[in-house]
Amino acid sequence: MKPKISCSGFLLVFFLLTGCNSGTSDSGSGSKSDPVLVEYPVVYIERNLFINNEDDEPEMASFSLTDPVAFNPGANLLIKDNAFAESPAISLTHELFPILDNDESGTNQDNRIDIRDISVSEDGQEFLVSIRAPELPGADENEQPKWNIWHYAQSTNKLERLIIDDNIAEQGDDLMASFLPDGRIIFASNRQRLSKAILLDEGKSQYQGQNERQDTATFNIHVMQADGSSIKQLTYNLSHDFYPLVLQNGKILYSRWDAMGGVNKINLYQMHPDGTENQLVFGWHSQQLNIEDENFEISLVKPQQLPSGDILLMLSADSDNTYQKRPVTINITDFIDEEQPIDINAFAGDSAISTLFASHDFNYNFSDELNSAGRLSHIYPLPDASDRYLLSLDLCRVEIDERILACSQLTDEQKQDETLVAATPAYELWLYNQTKNTQQLVASPSSENVMLTEAAILQASDFNDEFIADKIVGNQLDTELFNQQAGAIHIRSVYDFSGVDTTEQGIHQLKDPSQFTAAQRPARFIRVLRGVPMPSDEVREVLNTDFGRSNQQLMREIIGYSPIQPDGSVKVKVPANVPFALSVLDVNGQRIGGRHRQWITVKAGETLECNGCHTANSTAPHGRGDAEPLSINSGAVSGGVPYPNTSDTIIPDMGQTMAEALEQVLGLPELSRDLVFQDIWSDSALSPVNDSIEYLYSLLATPAPSGSECFDNWLAYCRLQINYEEHIAPLWQLSRQIVDEVTSELVKDNTCVSCHQPLDSDSIAQVPAGQLDLSAIPSDQPAHLVSYRELFFNDIEQEIIDGILTTKLVEVTDENGNVIFEIDNEGELILGDDNMPIPQLTTVPVARVMSSGGARASNRFFDVFERDDHKNMLSPSELKLLSEWLDIGGQYYNTPFYQQP
């Protein structure tokens, strides 16, 4: 049932259609006109409502949030001298590209190009826009034109491509550009300039990484000079960073697609214009919005800032090709989530998200049903204090007997008709004054089946952006780290969860070596992981089997390890401009707690300060500097004296964590390939010195992870790569025979496959011990060895019958333990040759012993090595290798370019 149209809705639409505002007269009428209508040009995009699909049938264009490069040809960029509806519009793109001789799309250029992302300069004299040139007939997808940024200046009345050089312009898709206060241009691009260079430094092929859903090239935020030169990459997420917005305070707000593991959110992040202090600002727990008791999935994309400082977002419907949007404002100053204020005392019970125009009952929604408020597609807030907006609005219209009628023209009887159907959208431009609740027509589509979408007014802003200069090497940025292309991360305490001390003892007691030993501290090491960018299929086709049991973690490399100090603090060098994640480990090198769910980056020379950790379900502020509670680790209570009951060789300054104090003595530590602990805090006169720990790759008799030799002289490009066939499977084949030193006779064979394979040393069939076959031969899935499948996939029990290894079958019983027999279609018992009923038989399941969820989720495997019959069969370094491999996902390969030996 479609709702009847409310009377108030009809009055509103009637008011808009009749143009009650006196400002509708043109500039020569002598009436008192709105200065925006008189003085400022309007630029807008007109596009086709429909495009032809592969079957040459018209369909609505698709605008996927996760596919920024989607090409919907059929757009025209127009400009008019003022906002009067009667003022003529001039096309800026109608003759921008020549018609090729072999172009069969026709001579109308407007149907050949795509246009988006208008952004006006602070002085209103220039604007930027993204344009996609026409399709090249017969060319492959990777040979088609890229999205380019174009520049228009009122002083010249010219629209010109910003990057003049064709080769540079076509190195990536450039979109969503905005002017920075210092004249540079910030934009989103899949160029990945520095990311590709780092791949070379890591010893990999240079390629364009795909997002974590592996369907499009990843967009990151870039910056360049006003003439298109000196392009630099600012962000390094493995999925899209896009829609950068220059805020009134000079910082950059942008949308980030967080897609690590099972995460799928688009949140708002903030950074300085040079990419430093990059942090989550809003939205991790605000992916659903409740409107009138109905939940909507929302994505926080394409932010705009209102003069009030609030953020304007146009919420999209679930459908990619639905044009109508719902305008909302978000208070990111005081909130980090919809219902999570920074100061709970000041904003308890309030919401960060409000519906724009709600006071005037403009109920813009996503329904296909008739709506008296019409359908809204785009909003441009005027950059002044007038509370006015340029709207792309489809007024309430219906189709009756092949006639299009405004809702205000309907009779009372027609208004009650529940079968009324909205007419084909006709999006026009309107200038809306929210203070006066009046609206004036600015422009209408030039023909049927086209719409006016994005629009802007070339008006100077009353809210000047502050200039935030790039951080300077030697001042805000550490020179030595910068020269090493490294940064640093400082965690005050891994026991700090949103301002709560999670230790049983309290960190001030736990860090005292006279009260607690190192073995009593739950967190001992930190692991730094790097996400491996996935190439496109054109570069290298990565099969699902390459990931192994699960592709949720894609491929991971280990950047290195560092010990955690007694107070839970860590300070260590990390590579710059690389997405990394952190894991906290126990004494065995196994991850405790969940996986990190966001990628972290630091710029060269930058130190990232972090209070502590965060649980996946916590809604408390985390990672945003102005929102986090005070750290549980206040550091040294006074300067110039040792921490209580610790060695006097380390003297902290007041407020320093143990990691900071240690840096003053030994320098900033580098990441290690090994897990190494040495007690430097205990004073032997006050408490026993804790035993050292060394889990070393050098102690392995099998190949160490690829890249381990790089750590002999640490570089920011050192990576540890573990592949199953190369580094894990050899553990099962390694000879572990115990031989009498005097007689040289074999005492015991602890080689894994001596028991865990279907043939014994005399080639006689045997049941693999524990029903676990660790053979290094191809399995039923030829891409995997038998051993991998046996470790990670459920199996069925086997037994020896007449010297042959075969599947074990057992009788099926009911819930009371009674045997169930075979019956025919009529329910009668089937008898065997002995004239006796035949029992139903079934296989016996064998559960897998490893989990891609991590080492602690694979306790069925590790518990075996606590038993007397397996104790010490694998060395601590081997068990650590298995633990780290499982913690990062237990992948079959951790490189998309693995070459079989």
Side-chain angles (χ1 to χ4, degrees):
M1 296 283 289
K2 289 182 168 56
K4 299 180 178 66
I5 306 174
S6 67
C7 295
S8 60
F10 278 110
L11 291 174
L12 174 62
V13 173
F14 177 78
F15 175 73
L16 297 179
L17 289 174
T18 53
C20 295
N21 191 331
S22 61
T24 53
S25 59
D26 63 31
S27 58
S29 67
S31 64
K32 188 174 181 180
S33 300
D34 188 325
V36 170
L37 295 176
V38 177
E39 298 176 10
Y40 303 116
V42 179
V43 59
Y44 58 94
I45 298 170
E46 182 179 72
R47 69 164 55 255
N48 292 342
L49 270 171
F50 305 97
I51 60 174
N52 288 338
N53 58 26
E54 295 179 355
D55 299 324
D56 207 30
E57 295 291 333
E59 64 179 19
M60 298 188 81
S62 175
F63 302 94
S64 171
L65 296 177
T66 57
D67 184 15
V69 299
F71 179 51
N72 295 296
N76 190 13
L77 183 66
L78 299 114
I79 191 169
K80 54 196 305 184
D81 289 339
N82 51 54
F84 289 119
E86 297 84 358
S87 297
I90 299 172
S91 173
L92 297 175
T93 53
H94 188 62
E95 297 180 355
L96 203 59
F97 300 98
I99 304 295
L100 302 176
D101 292 338
N102 61 345
D103 191 339
E104 299 177 356
S105 62
T107 58
N108 183 359
Q109 184 166 199
D110 302 343
N111 289 325
R112 303 166 59 242
I113 66 174
D114 199 359
I115 309 170
R116 53 179 294 176
D117 305 330
I118 299 172
S119 178
V120 179
S121 63
E122 188 177 286
D123 62 5
Q125 296 301 304
E126 306 167 88
F127 72 81
L128 302 170
V129 66
S130 296
I131 300 177
R132 165 70 148 77
E135 195 91 2
L136 295 178
D140 293 337
E141 182 63 32
N142 58 359
E143 297 173 336
Q144 294 295 343
K146 306 293 186 182
W147 281 92
N148 299 139
I149 297 169
W150 291 67
H151 172 260
Y152 177 86
Q154 289 198 66
S155 59
T156 62
N157 290 328
K158 287 185 178 180
L159 181 67
E160 298 176 307
R161 194 177 68 186
L162 199 65
I163 300 175
I164 303 302
D165 185 276
D166 288 339
N167 290 328
I168 297 176
E170 292 301 299
Q171 287 176 358
D173 294 284
D174 301 331
L175 292 160
M176 312 162 194
S178 292
F179 294 95
L180 286 170
D182 62 1
R184 292 178 299 166
I185 293 168
I186 192 164
F187 63 104
S189 177
N190 55 20
R191 291 173 176 269
Q192 304 174 22
R193 289 185 69 124
L194 188 52
S195 291
K196 290 192 285 189
I198 289 174
L199 286 173
L200 285 179
D201 291 327
E202 292 175 339
K204 303 181 178 71
S205 301
Q206 190 177 67
Y207 59 92
Q208 190 180 42
Q210 304 293 289
N211 65 57
E212 289 162 290
R213 297 298 179 265
Q214 302 178 76
D215 50 15
T216 59
T218 301
F219 272 73
N220 287 119
I221 309 299
H222 291 62
V223 68
M224 60 182 165
Q225 297 297 323
D227 61 0
S229 63
S230 188
I231 300 173
K232 297 179 181 179
Q233 185 177 348
L234 296 181
T235 67
Y236 302 88
N237 187 27
L238 284 185
S239 292
H240 301 319
D241 289 343
F242 46 5
Y243 293 109
L245 169 68
V246 183
L247 296 172
Q248 294 164 7
N249 63 11
K251 295 183 179 180
I252 307 301
L253 186 75
Y254 68 93
S255 299
R256 166 168 285 192
W257 185 15
D258 285 306
M260 180 196 291
V263 176
N264 186 24
K265 306 168 183 279
I266 298 181
N267 303 299
L268 294 178
Y269 280 70
Q270 181 179 273
M271 64 181 176
H272 283 257
D274 60 359
T276 57
E277 298 188 30
N278 196 351
Q279 57 188 258
L280 172 69
V281 170
F282 184 90
W284 192 266
H285 299 283
S286 304
Q287 303 301 310
Q288 282 197 340
L289 182 64
N290 185 277
I291 302 174
E292 298 175 356
D293 296 325
E294 186 175 357
N295 285 327
F296 292 89
E297 296 285 340
I298 65 173
S299 296
L300 306 176
V301 297
K302 204 170 185 178
Q304 300 180 77
Q305 190 167 31
L306 298 175
S308 66
D310 283 349
I311 299 304
L312 168 66
L313 282 176
M314 301 294 288
L315 302 185
S316 301
D318 293 336
S319 173
D320 291 342
N321 55 11
T322 300
Y323 296 118
Q324 61 258 39
K325 307 288 194 303
R326 185 180 185 95
V328 298
T329 61
I330 302 180
N331 177 0
I332 65 169
T333 303
D334 302 307
F335 288 79
I336 59 119
D337 270 304
E338 180 187 2
E339 297 179 355
Q340 181 62 55
I342 295 173
D343 184 350
I344 193 68
N345 296 318
F347 295 94
D350 291 346
S351 173
I353 301 179
S354 303
T355 299
L356 189 66
F357 307 148
S359 60
H360 297 300
D361 198 27
F362 283 12
N363 183 26
Y364 297 116
N365 56 42
F366 305 138
S367 172
D368 291 331
E369 297 178 347
L370 202 60
N371 184 4
S372 62
R375 290 175 283 197
L376 190 64
S377 181
H378 184 267
I379 291 182
Y380 177 81
L382 270 61
D384 54 30
S386 63
D387 204 17
R388 291 172 299 176
Y389 303 84
L390 196 59
L391 311 180
S392 170
L393 178 64
D394 173 34
L395 294 178
C396 184
R397 297 180 176 93
V398 296
E399 183 175 351
I400 299 177
D401 297 330
E402 299 184 354
R403 293 178 60 215
I404 304 299
L405 298 176
C407 294
S408 59
Q409 297 174 301
L410 300 179
T411 65
D412 291 339
E413 182 180 355
Q414 289 172 324
K415 292 176 186 178
Q416 302 303 314
D417 186 352
E418 295 180 348
T419 64
L420 287 175
V421 177
T424 300
Y427 286 93
E428 303 167 304
L429 289 186
W430 292 80
L431 186 65
Y432 174 59
N433 187 321
Q434 184 173 213
T435 302
K436 298 179 180 179
N437 195 24
T438 59
Q439 190 161 318
Q440 289 178 236
L441 182 66
V442 174
S444 296
S446 60
S447 62
E448 292 184 0
N449 294 328
V450 297
M451 64 181 293
L452 305 187
T453 57
E454 292 182 58
I457 292 179
L458 303 187
Q459 177 185 1
S461 172
D462 291 346
F463 304 91
N464 294 331
D465 298 315
E466 296 180 14
F467 177 75
I468 297 181
D470 292 351
K471 293 191 175 181
I472 305 301
V473 177
N475 186 1
Q476 301 100 326
L477 298 178
D478 183 270
T479 303
E480 181 180 352
L481 288 175
F482 182 87
N483 292 335
Q484 294 177 333
Q485 286 301 291
I489 183 168
H490 175 221
I491 305 171
R492 293 196 65 86
S493 181
V494 299
Y495 302 119
D496 185 337
F497 278 67
S498 304
V500 176
D501 187 346
T502 58
T503 65
E504 293 181 6
Q505 307 88 345
I507 66 162
H508 296 293
Q509 289 73 39
L510 189 66
K511 71 182 183 182
D512 186 338
S514 69
Q515 297 188 52
F516 294 96
T517 66
Q520 293 173 294
R521 297 198 293 267
R524 303 297 301 278
F525 301 96
I526 196 162
R527 179 189 293 131
V528 185
L529 299 177
R530 192 252 207 269
V532 178
M534 292 291 103
S536 65
D537 288 345
E538 289 76 16
V539 174
R540 176 68 175 245
E541 185 178 4
V542 180
L543 304 176
N544 276 334
T545 51
D546 291 350
F547 300 107
R549 179 64 176 84
S550 169
N551 66 357
Q552 191 172 74
Q553 298 302 313
L554 297 181
M555 294 178 179
R556 300 285 187 256
E557 293 174 329
I558 297 172
I559 299 177
Y561 295 93
S562 187
I564 295 173
Q565 303 309 316
D567 62 350
S569 64
V570 179
K571 191 171 185 183
V572 66
K573 288 182 187 178
V574 292
N577 307 322
V578 168
F580 65 86
L582 306 174
S583 294
V584 177
L585 313 180
D586 64 12
V587 67
N588 298 313
Q590 296 184 348
R591 188 186 74 247
I592 55 179
R595 289 188 171 111
H596 211 146
R597 295 159 62 85
Q598 297 165 268
W599 294 115
I600 305 170
T601 55
V602 295
K603 300 290 289 185
E606 180 186 14
T607 295
L608 175 65
E609 297 285 346
C610 180
N611 279 356
C613 301
H614 198 66
T615 61
N617 297 324
S618 172
T619 58
H622 180 72
R624 177 173 164 177
D626 65 346
E628 287 191 332
L630 293 176
S631 171
I632 65 167
N633 188 4
S634 56
V637 296
S638 60
V641 296
Y643 295 99
N645 301 314
T646 65
S647 170
D648 59 6
T649 60
I650 305 172
I651 308 298
D653 293 336
M654 192 171 79
Q656 280 190 327
T657 64
M658 285 180 155
E660 288 178 301
L662 188 60
E663 179 191 6
Q664 288 190 153
V665 178
L666 301 179
L668 183 63
E670 297 168 345
L671 289 166
S672 169
R673 66 187 162 209
D674 300 312
L675 288 184
V676 178
F677 165 76
Q678 185 177 4
D679 187 359
I680 57 177
W681 292 102
S682 296
D683 184 342
S684 59
L686 300 174
S687 57
V689 176
N690 291 283
D691 292 337
S692 297
I693 295 175
E694 288 187 333
Y695 300 143
L696 307 178
Y697 288 141
S698 61
L699 299 179
L700 294 174
T702 54
S706 303
S708 59
E709 65 283 351
C710 177
F711 289 78
D712 292 335
N713 294 289
W714 184 86
L715 296 171
Y717 309 114
C718 290
R719 309 286 184 265
L720 295 169
Q721 183 188 103
I722 305 174
N723 300 305
Y724 180 77
E725 288 192 21
E726 185 178 7
H727 304 112
I728 303 300
L731 295 173
W732 322 134
Q733 310 298 320
L734 179 66
S735 176
R736 304 176 188 274
Q737 294 180 340
I738 301 175
V739 178
D740 189 293
E741 294 181 0
V742 177
T743 65
S744 299
E745 293 181 356
L746 179 64
V747 176
K748 188 176 182 181
D749 189 356
N750 287 334
T751 303
C752 298
V753 292
S754 67
C755 297
H756 294 281
Q757 66 178 357
L759 296 176
D760 64 16
S761 58
D762 296 321
S763 297
I764 297 175
Q766 66 176 3
V767 176
Q771 297 289 328
L772 178 63
D773 186 354
L774 296 178
S775 299
I777 59 175
S779 68
D780 292 339
Q781 168 48 263
H784 293 163
L785 295 180
V786 164
S787 57
Y788 187 87
R789 305 295 292 189
E790 290 271 320
L791 289 166
F792 278 99
F793 294 85
N794 294 335
D795 201 359
I796 54 177
E797 190 173 331
Q798 294 179 305
E799 63 180 353
I800 299 291
I801 298 179
D802 297 331
I804 299 174
L805 185 64
T806 187
T807 298
K808 183 176 182 178
L809 298 174
V810 296
E811 295 178 345
V812 179
T813 59
D814 61 20
E815 58 186 11
N816 297 318
N818 300 314
V819 175
I820 299 176
F821 297 98
E822 298 278 357
I823 57 175
D824 59 21
N825 292 335
E826 297 178 357
E828 298 294 331
L829 288 173
I830 299 176
L831 303 180
D833 293 338
D834 57 0
N835 207 33
M836 296 294 293
I838 302 174
Q840 291 186 21
L841 301 178
T842 187
T843 57
V844 179
V846 176
R848 57 193 172 97
V849 296
M850 283 186 174
S851 168
S852 59
R856 288 200 166 190
S858 305
N859 59 301
R860 291 190 66 241
F861 176 83
F862 287 100
D863 285 351
V864 170
F865 297 94
E866 297 297 321
R867 298 188 333 218
D868 290 340
D869 61 344
H870 274 71
K871 206 167 188 69
N872 300 323
M873 282 192 176
L874 293 183
S875 71
S877 292
E878 289 175 324
L879 290 171
K880 174 259 185 182
L881 172 64
L882 287 164
S883 293
E884 63 188 346
W885 169 64
L886 287 166
D887 278 349
I888 65 175
Q891 295 90 339
Y892 203 78
Y893 300 122
N894 274 299
T895 170
F897 300 98
Y898 183 78
Q899 297 292 328
Q900 295 286 347

